[in-house]
Amino acid sequence: MLIKDLIFEVNSAVTVNKARSGLTILGIVIGIGSVIAMVSIGQGAQNSIESSIQSIGANLLIVMPGAQRTSRVSSGMGSAQSLTLKDSEALAAISSIEAVAPEVSRRYQVTAKGNNTNTQITASTPNYTQVRNVEIDTGKFYSDAQNKSKAKVAVIGPTVRDDLFGEGSNPIGSTIRINKIDFKVIGVTKSKGGSGISNQDDAIYVPINSAMLYLSNSKYLSTIALQAKSAEIITTAQEEITSMMLSRHKITDSTLADFSVITQADIVATASSVTGTFTILLAAIASISLLVGGIGIMNMMLTTVTERTREIGLRKAIGAKSADISLQFLMESVLLTFLGGGIGIALGWLISVIVSMTLNVSTSISLSAVILAFGVSAAIGIIFGFYPARRASRLNPIEALRHD
């Protein structure tokens, strides 16, 4: 059978009953569209989280209190109190470190002008702006002199400003009350967006000495953030930090360390692992409809073989080979799945755009996802079309011609 004749026959068979063909590929359309949409949402979330983490500082390292993780099981990391200001001062002397910012963080109820919000209070030194990449929109950040004098001043994020003083207002000079202590607002940070650990918009920054005196009433730190001089020496910096902390805490066995040093890359890798698993889960759930669509195509092709039994018998009687019959039905199946895959990709892209615009959720459609969708379409056509095509090719021409 000539290729052009084969293409003509395949096209005629698919278009002769448009309604049935359309309903048959509907499962593939829904399956491919769902997979594309779910993967794009998952990848968008992953990109957004990674971008937010990168925005919290450049060449960042964080010293956390508590025992290190062993065998992927936390032994209390972050729950203990083992870091002090003396530790941060000592770490500043390491040659590979550009800047150090000791941190004390805790959520408090904050009130101002009859409004209130529950937000994160982060206490640190003026180095915090450099280490954590915080930029000031209006006003200024507190100075080293204000930190040493335990001044009751605060810099607030734009989300806190909107919650307490109204959207777009100028709170400079106003007073906010934290834990029944009044603090004067001296600055507002630039908006960065983000959520969770990287949400710098919904935060208040106060001098660390002031926080230790008026708020936490403790000498221990939540974390110590450090900025390495370059990305190339982060590993070296991590080793030097670990060595110095072990020495300061008089610990000879590193497995018994009461602290942990993590890098920005570690945080990104952990977040990527979580969002990657989430994306795979979404795609796996959506792929169930692909299986249903494939079964629908096989069912239609089997019905078609039954309906066209006499036609198959006539073709074989006048010289058509079994391979020609098999190839024709297989190509019909693949054509249906390719049509469904193409429409499904367009549907998935449309869903991603709608989700991004209406729900303000970041989405990202990658070329690999599109290629995978076409590959899956072809595989479904071949796998679920093979049995009907094989069955058609094995029909006995005499028995087929007798079929009513």
Side-chain angles (χ1 to χ4, degrees):
M1 184 182 290
L2 296 176
I3 296 297
K4 65 178 183 179
D5 294 331
L6 180 60
I7 295 174
F8 176 79
E9 291 296 334
V10 169
N11 181 65
S12 298
V14 171
T15 57
V16 70
N17 195 329
K18 296 182 177 63
R20 185 167 66 181
S21 297
L23 290 173
T24 301
I25 68 174
L26 184 60
I28 301 297
V29 171
I30 294 174
I32 293 292
S34 300
V35 170
I36 290 290
M38 293 300 100
V39 171
S40 70
I41 292 172
Q43 289 183 337
Q46 181 172 334
N47 294 340
S48 178
I49 291 173
E50 289 180 4
S51 177
S52 297
I53 293 174
Q54 295 290 354
S55 71
I56 65 175
N59 306 327
L60 182 66
L61 300 99
I62 300 175
V63 182
M64 301 182 66
Q68 299 187 55
R69 290 180 183 267
T70 57
S71 302
R72 297 185 179 182
V73 178
S74 173
S75 301
M77 181 189 295
S79 60
Q81 293 183 321
S82 58
L83 305 180
T84 65
L85 282 173
K86 294 293 184 181
D87 290 328
S88 67
E89 292 170 1
L91 293 175
I94 296 177
S95 59
S96 58
I97 297 301
E98 181 71 25
V100 178
E103 301 174 14
V104 174
S105 298
R106 182 178 172 184
R107 297 193 73 87
Y108 288 94
Q109 197 71 20
V110 183
T111 60
K113 294 186 176 181
N115 298 317
N116 71 88
T117 183
N118 187 280
T119 190
Q120 187 80 12
I121 307 298
T122 299
S124 187
T125 64
N127 283 344
Y128 189 86
T129 55
Q130 176 181 346
V131 177
R132 290 289 197 170
N133 197 24
V134 173
E135 298 179 86
I136 298 297
D137 185 21
T138 58
K140 60 183 180 180
F141 205 78
Y142 49 81
S143 64
D144 190 51
Q146 288 172 316
N147 180 44
K148 289 180 179 178
S149 65
K150 302 180 180 62
K152 290 182 283 186
V153 294
V155 178
I156 64 177
T159 300
V160 177
R161 175 200 60 195
D162 296 344
D163 290 342
L164 295 180
F165 300 100
E167 188 172 349
S169 61
N170 181 13
I172 305 300
S174 301
T175 299
I176 59 175
R177 177 165 288 234
I178 308 172
N179 197 30
K180 299 181 181 180
I181 304 295
D182 289 340
F183 285 77
K184 180 181 178 181
V185 178
I186 62 172
V188 179
T189 63
K190 287 185 178 180
S191 177
K192 283 192 173 184
S195 61
I197 61 171
S198 60
N199 190 3
Q200 296 181 342
D201 291 0
D202 188 16
I204 298 176
Y205 309 97
V206 300
I208 192 166
N209 288 336
S210 305
M212 286 183 164
L213 177 63
Y214 300 114
L215 301 179
S216 66
N217 193 29
S218 172
K219 66 178 182 178
Y220 293 104
L221 305 175
S222 301
T223 57
I224 301 175
L226 307 98
Q227 183 184 49
K229 290 186 176 179
S230 68
E232 291 73 22
I233 61 172
I234 285 182
T235 301
T236 301
Q238 187 177 24
E239 293 171 353
E240 292 177 346
I241 292 168
T242 301
S243 177
M244 177 169 285
M245 289 295 293
L246 289 173
S247 176
R248 283 190 52 79
H249 290 202
K250 298 179 173 58
I251 300 172
T252 56
D253 186 354
S254 60
T255 61
L256 301 178
D258 58 356
F259 64 91
S260 180
V261 183
I262 62 174
T263 66
Q264 203 164 12
D266 296 331
I267 302 174
V268 171
T270 301
S272 297
S273 175
V274 173
T275 53
T277 302
F278 175 68
T279 302
I280 293 172
L281 176 62
L282 291 177
I285 294 173
S287 296
I288 295 174
S289 58
L290 280 175
L291 178 62
V292 175
I295 294 173
I297 284 181
M298 183 169 66
N299 182 58
M300 180 217 149
M301 295 305 299
L302 286 172
T303 303
T304 301
V305 170
T306 302
E307 291 178 350
R308 296 163 62 187
T309 299
R310 287 178 61 85
E311 176 192 334
I312 296 169
L314 180 59
R315 290 190 179 186
K316 296 191 75 172
I318 61 176
K321 299 178 181 178
S322 295
D324 295 331
I325 302 297
S326 178
L327 181 60
Q328 178 183 342
F329 280 87
L330 191 60
M331 283 190 64
E332 289 179 20
S333 176
V334 172
L335 177 60
L336 287 172
T337 53
F338 260 62
L339 287 173
I343 299 172
I345 290 172
L347 177 64
W349 175 82
L350 181 62
I351 293 173
S352 299
V353 172
I354 293 173
V355 168
S356 179
M357 293 177 63
T358 58
L359 301 181
N360 196 27
V361 175
S362 176
T363 59
S364 175
I365 299 179
S366 64
L367 179 61
S368 60
V370 175
I371 294 174
L372 177 63
F374 269 113
V376 169
S377 297
I380 288 174
I382 294 171
I383 293 171
F384 289 94
F386 176 76
Y387 175 68
R390 185 168 174 266
R391 180 175 175 179
S393 68
R394 289 192 170 188
L395 286 176
N396 185 292
I398 297 176
E399 294 180 359
L401 287 171
R402 291 175 180 172
H403 184 81
D404 292 330

